[in-house]
Amino acid sequence: MEKHMTVCPYCGAGCKFNLLVENGQVVGAEGLDGITNQGELCLKGMSGYDFINDTKILTPRILHPMIRRTKGAELERVSWDEALDFTAKKLLEIKEKHGADAILTTGSSRGPGNEANYVMQKFTRACIGTNNIDNCARTCHGPSVIGLIDTVGSGAMSVSIPNMENADCIMLFGYNPSASHPIVARRIVKAKERGAKIIVADPRIIETARIADIYMQINNGCNLAFVNAFANVIVSEGLMDKKFVEEHTSGFEAWWETVKNYTPEAVQDITGVDPETLRAAARMYATAGGSIIGWGMGVTQQCQGVHTVHQIAAIACVSGQIGRDNAGLAPVRGQNNVQGSCDMGMWPSLYPGYQKVADPAMRSKFAKAWGVSEDSLSLSEGCKLTDLPHLVKEGKIRAFYNFGEDPLQTEPDSIDMRETLENVEFLISQDIFMTQTTALADVVFPGTSWGEHDGVFSASDRTFQRFTAAVPPKGECKHDWQIFQELSTRMGYPMHYDDTKQIWDEVRELCPSFQGATYEKMAGVGYAQWPIPEVGHPGTPTLYQGGQFNMPDGKALLMTTDWKAPTELPDEEYPLILCTVREVGHYSCRSMTGNCKVLALLADEPGYVTINPADAEKRGIKDQDLVWVHSRRGKVISRAAIDERTNKGTVYMTYQWWIGKCNTLTMHATDPLSGTPEDKHSACQVDAIDDQVWAERHLQELYTDMKETLAGHANRQNASSAAVVEPKAAELAFA
């Protein structure tokens, strides 16, 4: 049996393990003593490997390049040369007619690695000539990146995941680690066993609330009012670290002008938290020897996500709970390499290494390194992924290069997104599976999956780790970076790398914070935690030591603003709040985990809508019933899970399900500072279905139709020999 070292592709914890291979098939996984997981694995790590083998449980692997010769024609299999020539010609025509900014590309955080993302952004900037490149952080932790850069200077965790278990107090805010990051949850349990205090603020009674010293069941949509009140207590009760504030922060007076109005009593009707409980939590956090605040998409996917992150950073600063070991800020990233996508410059305002595209000195450096004129690199920030629908409608985006994402599943208002993808002039999709997005593409490029290529991932806590190929590419699949360089060369900007090490060494040369992160340092279970400015540097588990922040004056900037209500509030027609959440056994758009035998057995379509017993009884809904969930955007079928831990007036749905697609219901309203969608607060209604026999049959028909349609697209050899498979009701009614 062969063993090949890798890093888990499912979350930002960065767990290390071996893939076990027999006869060219991946047959198992065994934990390694990685810096994060110490030999242990969660459910997805143990069982989420066999999608590499093309099980076809949910949707098939894409094994050959395909094109539509004209818009609306059938996909047909072609050679790589024809597919690349066809794509290069189309992109050059659009660039010539409409300009480089008429093209938008994405990065991918679902397994390609940092090297592939680096080459994609280089292709976008140096070949196409635009900063229109973005990644899935836009829809999740974009507010964390922006909010932390604004206040402390780096858009990443300031602490390391292993050090979380050494904290004296851990506060979790809008973050459910037992579902999102089970290995991180294990660290939190260990901290509790050591005697650490645990504070949880969340509308649901999440698993960690069961071991919390203080649990605050906050109201949905109250976040900024809550943290403003939390900060108010720290200052008004004399818990502030005055010396730290005076020496290492700026903006206190303006910040306090807002915060002083947010006493716990003044906002109790907004937060739903008893003032004395909130005061006790603030005291516990501020007076502990070392406190860490961890947050997730319960914070960021709100209309004031960036402002809330500003205040979280301010709370750490005014209490002196930052800049030392076991104290600081922990926005734990969701997808396994979403930190890496940002590290590599898959962001419309940043080059790799968080170097600003608007800085002429940075433009000059990258132009010289890439062998292009300075004028060919734009100083203007590009557009965001969440701008795509309106920019297509306005005719400003003509081509969309979708790399390893499924926006038709993961972006809000799926019906509008389907219209966007159908109407964009030229759609390229590069993926490993036939997804709902890829089925609409004009060009389909088959990339290699995790397990079939080498590279480096960035964990949530800035830790670089290497992973290696376990099996060779299937069919005619190419490594993603190879596809980008071959397309770039055809478009007039030659690129050539022999392997990922050559790419990584170029990244290191251009990014001062990454220079010491060599492949050699990351051999085996080795790792490199940035900033790591030279080869001999040990790496940086804790940022801002001694209160030195990455700001122009070296000081953290205290920022906040007034709370405002969510965009869409419940009313008589739609009396419930819909909040999207994560699933412990599935990942992202489910194309990977849905094709793993063990994980596919956990649950199946249409997924669940979790509802409080009182809300279910009011509607005549029994546990496990199929129900209709509808909003102003659309209607889907789902299965009711009645749960007392769900707060009244709110329902929760995970976004992995294709028939029970919650993003058919969510609205395209975004935080104006980050462009991140407000997925945590939409108005909806849930209705009982009287005829459950009909509902079960209808569900199976929808699911079967969708899988057959996608399989038909993936298996098409050419237009003449393959049966034409038309979109089925599942695609149209539940898109």
Side-chain angles (χ1 to χ4, degrees):
M1 181 180 292
E2 301 172 22
K3 296 184 178 183
H4 299 271
M5 177 203 67
T6 191
V7 179
C8 186
Y10 290 123
C11 83
C15 298
K16 204 101 188 219
F17 58 87
N18 279 328
L19 285 175
L20 310 180
V21 178
E22 282 188 347
N23 301 319
Q25 298 284 298
V26 181
V27 296
E30 63 175 14
L32 292 173
D33 191 22
I35 182 64
T36 297
N37 63 307
Q38 299 174 316
E40 297 191 7
L41 296 173
C42 77
L43 179 64
K44 291 194 286 290
M46 289 188 292
S47 305
Y49 54 81
D50 49 329
F51 74 87
I52 302 168
N53 302 329
D54 195 15
T55 61
K56 298 181 176 64
I57 296 170
L58 180 63
T59 183
R61 288 283 303 268
I62 306 166
L63 301 177
H64 313 286
M66 293 182 279
I67 66 171
R68 299 183 199 273
R69 296 193 182 277
T70 58
K71 196 71 176 175
E74 293 300 322
L75 280 171
E76 59 179 281
R77 176 180 169 180
V78 295
S79 69
W80 269 109
D81 281 339
E82 185 171 3
L84 290 164
D85 288 344
F86 177 82
T87 305
K89 180 182 177 184
K90 290 285 189 181
L91 289 176
L92 286 170
E93 287 174 352
I94 288 170
K95 179 179 176 180
E96 176 67 25
K97 186 174 181 180
H98 301 286
D101 289 338
I103 301 169
L104 171 66
T105 69
T106 74
S108 177
S109 302
R110 296 195 293 127
N114 284 337
E115 295 86 346
N117 279 291
Y118 173 81
V119 178
M120 176 46 136
Q121 66 81 37
K122 182 177 179 180
F123 163 71
T124 302
R125 291 181 163 115
C127 178
I128 297 174
T130 181
N131 287 318
N132 287 351
I133 185 160
D134 209 351
N135 80 96
C136 68
R138 182 66 55 194
T139 59
C140 57
H141 268 289
S144 297
V145 175
I146 295 168
L148 293 178
I149 288 175
D150 288 345
T151 52
V152 293
S154 291
M157 287 179 66
S158 73
V159 297
S160 72
I161 290 172
N163 277 348
M164 291 182 74
E165 70 181 67
N166 299 317
D168 297 300
C169 178
I170 298 174
M171 177 174 170
L172 303 182
F173 177 30
Y175 172 45
N176 184 13
S178 62
S180 301
H181 305 90
I183 295 296
V184 177
R186 168 178 157 266
R187 296 279 186 180
I188 295 169
V189 170
K190 284 189 172 184
K192 175 72 174 179
E193 292 170 347
R194 282 185 54 257
K197 300 297 184 182
I198 308 296
I199 303 168
V200 172
D202 199 287
R204 294 183 299 166
I205 305 173
I206 61 173
E207 288 296 323
T208 315
R210 298 183 176 193
I211 64 168
D213 295 273
I214 297 177
Y215 167 58
M216 293 170 284
Q217 190 167 35
I218 59 176
N219 289 334
N220 299 79
C222 78
N223 287 353
L224 188 54
F226 171 77
V227 287
N228 280 350
F230 200 91
N232 178 286
V233 174
I234 292 171
V235 177
S236 62
E237 295 198 3
L239 306 175
M240 183 173 72
D241 186 333
K242 292 183 179 179
K243 187 174 186 293
F244 190 92
V245 170
E246 290 171 359
E247 295 180 359
H248 301 295
T249 73
S250 62
F252 177 82
E253 295 301 329
W255 174 82
W256 179 244
E257 278 300 307
T258 297
V259 173
K260 69 181 182 182
N261 301 314
Y262 283 81
T263 65
E265 291 78 9
V267 296
Q268 183 179 3
D269 60 330
I270 298 172
T271 66
V273 179
D274 170 69
E276 285 309 308
T277 303
L278 196 153
R279 291 181 186 279
R283 293 174 195 135
M284 183 178 288
Y285 167 84
T287 60
S291 291
I292 292 173
I293 303 180
W295 70 93
M297 284 181 279
V299 166
T300 59
Q301 289 182 331
Q302 306 272 2
C303 66
Q304 290 187 295
V306 173
H307 288 309
T308 305
V309 173
H310 287 163
Q311 185 62 298
I312 292 171
I315 285 169
C317 289
V318 297
S319 56
Q321 296 287 6
I322 192 170
R324 48 195 176 85
D325 291 341
N326 315 321
L329 304 167
V332 190
R333 311 299 283 270
Q335 296 197 41
N336 90 306
N337 202 42
V338 68
Q339 181 66 51
S341 294
C342 296
D343 290 348
M344 294 301 105
M346 313 300 269
W347 200 254
S349 60
L350 297 169
Y351 286 120
Y354 302 93
Q355 299 168 95
K356 295 181 179 179
V357 300
D359 184 343
M362 293 301 103
R363 178 174 74 165
S364 179
K365 179 174 84 168
F366 280 92
K368 182 178 180 181
W370 292 343
V372 297
S373 68
E374 290 188 23
D375 290 344
S376 68
L377 296 181
S378 175
L379 289 169
S380 300
E381 180 177 340
C383 65
K384 304 174 182 68
L385 179 59
T386 45
D387 292 332
L388 181 65
H390 76 83
L391 291 178
V392 169
K393 289 181 177 69
E394 295 165 9
K396 294 178 180 177
I397 292 295
R398 300 288 181 143
F400 176 45
Y401 195 149
N402 174 64
F403 167 36
E405 299 295 341
D406 187 7
L408 192 50
Q409 180 69 25
T410 59
E411 296 296 309
D413 196 350
S414 298
I415 293 173
D416 184 55
M417 179 56 72
R418 170 174 283 276
E419 181 182 337
T420 297
L421 297 177
E422 287 175 337
N423 290 334
V424 70
E425 185 175 324
F426 190 52
L427 174 61
I428 307 161
S429 194
Q430 184 166 315
D431 211 320
I432 58 176
F433 286 103
M434 181 56 67
T435 65
Q436 297 164 76
T437 296
T438 303
L440 298 177
D442 301 298
V443 173
V444 176
F445 288 145
T448 47
S449 75
W450 164 83
E452 295 170 343
H453 52 234
D454 301 338
V456 171
F457 289 144
S458 303
S460 280
D461 61 358
R462 300 168 283 106
T463 299
F464 292 132
Q465 297 181 99
R466 279 200 66 201
F467 62 98
T468 57
V471 292
K474 290 187 168 42
E476 294 182 275
C477 296
K478 286 179 179 280
H479 299 315
D480 296 297
W481 57 268
Q482 292 177 323
I483 299 170
F484 301 141
Q485 72 177 17
E486 290 182 30
L487 181 59
S488 182
T489 299
R490 282 170 166 81
M491 291 179 64
Y493 179 69
M495 270 200 279
H496 178 77
Y497 299 98
D498 292 323
D499 53 34
T500 54
K501 185 177 185 300
Q502 286 186 358
I503 302 168
W504 186 249
D505 286 342
E506 183 174 318
V507 172
R508 291 173 48 237
E509 285 300 313
L510 286 168
C511 302
S513 292
F514 306 160
Q515 283 187 2
T518 63
Y519 264 29
E520 292 74 19
K521 192 175 188 70
M522 293 181 278
V525 293
Y527 62 95
Q529 196 165 17
W530 69 261
I532 182 166
E534 56 190 20
V535 173
H537 194 282
T540 312
T542 303
L543 294 180
Y544 321 124
Q545 289 277 12
Q548 296 302 305
F549 295 95
N550 299 336
M551 301 291 281
D553 61 359
K555 295 183 177 183
L557 177 61
L558 305 182
M559 302 175 69
T560 193
T561 192
D562 285 310
W563 172 84
K564 68 177 184 180
T567 304
E568 187 175 70
L569 299 175
D571 57 19
E572 187 175 342
E573 185 177 5
Y574 298 102
L576 297 171
I577 297 167
L578 167 65
C579 180
T580 65
V581 292
R582 287 189 178 273
E583 177 106 1
V584 69
H586 283 293
Y587 167 76
S588 190
C589 66
R590 203 166 118 257
S591 61
M592 291 159 61
T593 54
N595 281 292
C596 296
K597 294 183 180 69
V598 172
L599 300 179
L601 292 173
L602 296 175
D604 208 343
E605 293 285 356
Y608 288 94
V609 54
T610 305
I611 187 168
N612 182 274
D615 292 323
E617 183 179 8
K618 184 178 179 180
R619 291 161 175 79
I621 294 169
K622 298 188 293 294
D623 191 46
Q624 301 299 309
D625 275 0
L626 288 172
V627 296
W628 292 115
V629 189
H630 53 102
S631 74
R632 291 178 175 86
R633 272 69 58 189
K635 177 180 178 181
V636 298
I637 195 168
S638 189
R639 196 175 298 278
I642 300 175
D643 189 348
E644 291 181 350
R645 294 186 296 167
T646 298
N647 51 313
K648 292 180 183 179
T650 303
V651 297
Y652 297 84
M653 298 178 73
T654 62
Y655 65 92
Q656 284 81 14
W657 304 105
W658 293 12
I659 303 303
K661 186 190 298 188
C662 63
N663 277 324
T664 297
L665 311 171
T666 54
M667 60 182 170
H668 193 102
T670 61
D671 176 348
L673 298 179
S674 67
T676 300
E678 195 177 6
D679 288 343
K680 300 305 184 197
H681 206 288
S682 302
C684 76
Q685 177 62 295
V686 180
D687 293 327
I689 300 176
D690 293 332
D691 190 341
Q692 288 291 302
V693 174
W694 171 87
E696 294 285 358
R697 185 172 63 249
H698 180 62
L699 165 65
Q700 289 305 315
E701 289 172 353
L702 293 172
Y703 193 21
T704 300
D705 283 351
M706 175 171 279
K707 290 201 292 186
E708 288 180 351
T709 298
L710 295 179
H713 287 302
N715 296 328
R716 181 173 286 113
Q717 300 298 303
N718 55 62
S720 60
S721 65
V724 174
V725 183
E726 298 295 338
K728 300 292 181 73
E731 288 191 38
L732 300 176
F734 298 97

